[in-house]
């Protein structure tokens, strides 16, 4: 169909409107489950469904909504502890677009793609997401497959430059070539037809692929569907911070994050760097939460409950919350114990994630670290105290209440224990365990 005159102008206005308002699709940090930490590139349909069922029953009421199938769902014979790059069984359609491997996702049989699984998840009141790699499949280039909506073929739009170094499924798509935008348009048209609500696009951040980010943004706009865009992996270059903020809903600030203390401790520095770039609908992403039971068939590590201590788990959840990072749980939800569930369904804590403002680090000294935020509805302050020290003892960490704007007597509530801690004036001091955290609401007594 050829659009002319007013129809063309109307179509362009529609696309521009979609591009402008996409931040509204994630006004609060996205919360969900992703298959990576449990199952690496080997997750199967029944495992996705069991996690969706758990989320619908136990977490949906608390704001958890995304169920995301991570990497290489299009390979029928992938493996744990790495990737099968020796003889991968790729599944593609006639236009060079990957399709779900039917032996892993039986409902995709007959060319249905992920639509039956997405429909199942939508009926649970949840949203469905997938992971893809940047670029065009090498297999599509080898076969020189046509590009939907273009006279070009796969060989016309690819380059071996800047190929992903850690997985060799794809070639770069060169922005500006005939057929390049049409290729991405065809991808997202397919995903929209499946009912996809969330896309994690890998290998976009290091180096930052400006051209492909822009093609992806435009392709999502053309679908007319509200598809949340997450870019990955590694720390997005600071020089590209404004660009990614203007094109994505969330973007990675670190490499893959696993359950060890040095990685977690580094996030204090990372989040301080990225704090000024957070905006509604545009969220710096500290990566997934490696909590609960992970490593079942993962890319690294063996089956285990997270190696983080309980204190470290409180630190993780407190820091992600006070920073307002997206929360993508990595453990197998049906395997959760009571403690793990308690980290995910605390409404007083999640209120900080969803509604707080002016989030920032207040101080970092030899005793500990303090982050603060405002409750815009009440004027209360949220205070997160952290003990990142590697000694063997707990630390007494104090915050000057005058620095928070309180000159009189205040009441203090511990949000993790859901208990009132009495009154304070001038300063408030809490004893924080090694590698632990405390999270408090401070309210003026009127």
């Amino acid at each position: 169909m050829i659009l002319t005159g007013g129809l063309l102008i109307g179509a362009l206005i529609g696309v521009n409107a979609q591009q402008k308002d996409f931040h509204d699709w994630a006004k609060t940090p996205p919360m969900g489950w992703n298959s990576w930490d449990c199952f690496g590139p080997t997750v199967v349909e029944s495992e996705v469904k069991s996690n969706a069922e758990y989320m619908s029953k136990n977490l949906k009421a608390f704001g958890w909504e995304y169920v995301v199938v991570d990497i290489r769902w299009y390979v029928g014979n992938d493996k744990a502890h790495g990737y099968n790059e020796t003889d991968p069984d790729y599944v593609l359609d006639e236009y060079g677009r990957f399709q779900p491997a039917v032996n892993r996702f039986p409902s995709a049989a007959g060319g249905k793609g992920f639509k039956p699984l997405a429909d199942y998840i939508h009926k649970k009141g949840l949203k469905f997401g997938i992971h893809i790699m940047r670029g065009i499949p090498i297999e599509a280039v080898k076969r020189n497959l046509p590009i939907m909506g273009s006279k070009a073929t796969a060989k016309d739009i690819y380059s071996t430059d800047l190929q992903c170094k850690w997985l060799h499924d794809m070639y770069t798509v060169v922005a500006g070539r005939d057929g390049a935008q049409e290729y991405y348009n065809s991808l997202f048209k397919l995903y929209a037809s499946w009912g996809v609500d969330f896309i994690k696009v890998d290998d976009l951040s290091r180096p930052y692929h400006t051209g492909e980010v822009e093609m992806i943004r435009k392709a999502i706009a053309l679908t007319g569907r509200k598809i949340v865009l997450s870019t990955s992996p590694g720390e997005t270059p600071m020089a590209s911070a404004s660009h990614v903020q203007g094109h994505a809903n969330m973007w990675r600030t670190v490499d893959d994050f696993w359950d060890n203390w040095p990685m977690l401790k580094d996030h204090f520095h990372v989040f301080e760097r990225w704090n000024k770039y957070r905006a509604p609908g545009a969220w710096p992403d500290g990566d997934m939460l490696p909590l609960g039971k992970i490593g079942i068939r993962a890319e690294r590590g063996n089956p285990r409950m997270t190696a983080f201590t309980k204190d470290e788990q409180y630190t993780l959840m407190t820091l992600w919350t006070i920073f307002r990072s997206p929360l993508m749980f990595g453990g197998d939800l049906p395997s959760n114990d009571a403690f793990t569930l308690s980290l995910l369904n605390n409404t007083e804590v999640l209120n900080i994630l969803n509604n707080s403002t002016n989030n920032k680090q207040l101080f970092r000294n030899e005793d500990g670290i303090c982050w603060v935020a405002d409750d815009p509805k009440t004027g209360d302050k949220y205070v997160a105290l952290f003990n990142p020290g590697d000694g063997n003892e707990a630390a007494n960490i104090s915050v000057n209440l005058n620095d928070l704007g309180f000159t009189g007597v205040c009441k203090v509530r511990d949000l993790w224990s859901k208990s009132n801690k009495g009154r304070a004036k001038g300063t408030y001091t809490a004893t924080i365990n090694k590698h632990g955290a405390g999270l408090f609401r401070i309210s003026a007594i009127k």
Side-chain angles (χ1 to χ4, degrees):
M1 179 176 65
I2 299 175
L3 299 177
T4 59
L7 289 176
L8 176 59
I9 293 172
L12 292 175
I13 290 173
V15 170
N16 288 334
Q18 288 284 347
Q19 289 175 315
K20 185 177 181 180
D21 70 4
F22 74 90
H23 285 126
D24 292 341
W25 307 344
K27 289 183 178 180
T28 58
M31 300 166 60
W33 173 83
N34 179 298
S35 61
W36 172 250
D37 287 352
C38 302
F39 305 111
T42 70
V43 69
V44 299
E45 185 167 354
S46 60
E47 292 163 335
V48 177
K49 286 183 172 181
S50 67
N51 277 274
E53 290 164 3
Y54 181 98
M55 183 182 292
S56 179
K57 180 179 178 181
N58 298 286
L59 294 173
K60 182 176 69 171
F62 300 92
W64 298 83
E65 60 179 345
Y66 292 100
V67 176
V68 182
V69 176
D70 209 87
I71 198 165
R72 280 193 132 195
W73 39 264
Y74 47 82
V75 175
N77 61 343
D78 221 326
K79 63 176 185 176
H81 299 106
Y83 303 100
N84 178 8
E85 295 197 75
T86 303
D87 59 345
D89 178 17
Y90 294 123
V91 185
L92 296 85
D93 72 4
E94 68 270 30
Y95 295 107
R97 302 175 298 182
F98 283 131
Q99 302 289 314
V102 174
N103 63 318
R104 293 170 54 194
F105 300 94
S107 69
K112 296 184 181 71
F114 272 129
K115 189 175 189 312
L117 181 55
D119 288 347
Y120 174 89
I121 288 169
H122 291 155
K123 288 177 181 177
K124 297 285 183 184
L126 304 172
K127 296 180 179 179
F128 178 64
I130 60 173
H131 169 290
I132 66 170
M133 296 295 296
R134 168 188 67 87
I136 187 166
I138 292 173
E139 190 66 21
V141 174
K142 287 180 179 178
R143 301 183 197 177
N144 199 26
L145 295 175
I147 294 168
M148 177 180 280
S150 172
K151 294 181 180 179
T153 66
K155 287 186 177 179
D156 297 322
I157 68 169
Y158 90 100
S159 171
T160 59
D161 292 343
L162 300 177
Q163 185 184 19
C164 179
K165 294 180 179 180
W166 47 268
L167 182 61
H168 304 96
D169 290 344
M170 317 294 280
Y171 285 138
T172 295
V173 172
V174 182
R177 287 191 183 175
D178 289 345
Q181 183 64 57
E182 288 81 359
Y183 171 71
Y184 272 113
N185 293 350
S186 74
L187 278 188
F188 283 87
K189 181 179 180 180
L190 177 66
Y191 303 151
S193 75
W194 288 346
V196 169
D197 306 294
F198 181 102
I199 297 269
K200 175 182 174 182
V201 185
D202 217 328
D203 193 42
L204 275 177
S205 302
R206 195 177 54 202
Y208 186 74
H209 294 272
T210 302
E212 289 192 81
V213 169
E214 292 178 355
M215 286 190 286
I216 290 166
R217 176 78 269 143
K218 184 180 291 185
I220 292 174
L222 287 169
T223 69
R225 185 171 180 83
K226 297 178 179 180
I227 301 176
V228 169
L229 174 60
S230 167
T231 70
S232 184
E235 181 165 8
T236 302
M238 299 303 295
S240 301
S242 294
H243 188 272
V244 75
Q245 185 188 56
H247 289 78
N249 296 106
M250 50 189 277
W251 60 91
R252 285 275 290 279
T253 60
V254 293
D255 285 325
D256 285 359
F257 173 56
W258 286 97
D259 50 332
N260 72 75
W261 173 248
M263 281 186 170
L264 175 52
K265 189 175 182 178
D266 187 52
H267 275 79
F268 288 105
H269 298 286
V270 172
F271 283 174
E272 186 182 7
R273 283 198 299 273
W274 280 101
N275 196 50
K276 65 182 179 179
Y277 292 102
R278 181 182 53 252
W283 308 104
D285 173 20
D287 198 19
M288 291 167 52
L289 310 176
L291 302 175
K293 187 173 184 180
I294 59 177
I296 296 171
R297 295 190 310 280
E299 180 258 351
R300 71 185 76 173
N302 295 314
R304 64 195 183 279
M305 293 300 286
T306 183
F308 284 132
T309 66
K310 286 188 176 181
D311 285 312
E312 289 166 351
Q313 292 178 64
Y314 278 127
T315 289
L316 170 55
M317 290 300 297
T318 301
L319 183 58
W320 264 239
T321 298
I322 199 77
F323 176 74
R324 303 191 73 193
S325 172
L327 301 182
M328 287 290 166
F329 188 79
D332 180 49
L333 288 171
S335 300
N336 277 356
D337 56 18
F339 175 75
T340 304
L341 179 59
S342 76
L343 296 173
L344 309 180
N345 65 3
N346 185 316
T347 55
E348 296 183 63
V349 172
L350 293 174
N351 186 56
I352 303 175
L353 180 83
N354 291 316
N355 299 307
S356 62
T357 58
N358 298 322
N359 310 64
K360 63 183 179 181
Q361 179 180 285
L362 184 66
F363 65 76
R364 177 199 302 265
N365 57 36
E366 63 276 8
D367 295 320
I369 299 171
C370 177
W371 275 69
V372 296
D374 297 343
D375 180 348
K377 291 184 178 180
T378 65
D380 292 353
K381 302 289 185 178
Y382 297 111
V383 175
L385 299 177
F386 302 94
N387 176 8
D390 294 320
N392 294 320
E393 296 182 0
N396 292 324
I397 304 175
S398 299
V399 59
N400 187 327
L401 299 179
N402 292 307
D403 292 341
L404 304 181
F406 295 115
T407 57
V409 178
C410 301
K411 60 181 180 180
V412 180
R413 181 166 175 82
D414 184 323
L415 301 186
W416 281 120
S417 68
K418 300 181 182 179
S419 63
N420 296 323
K421 307 302 286 187
R423 300 186 176 196
K425 183 178 181 181
T427 62
Y428 177 70
T429 301
T431 302
I432 308 297
N433 291 338
K434 170 187 172 181
H435 295 182
L439 185 59
F440 308 95
R441 177 189 280 269
I442 312 292
S443 309
I445 297 178
K446 300 177 181 179

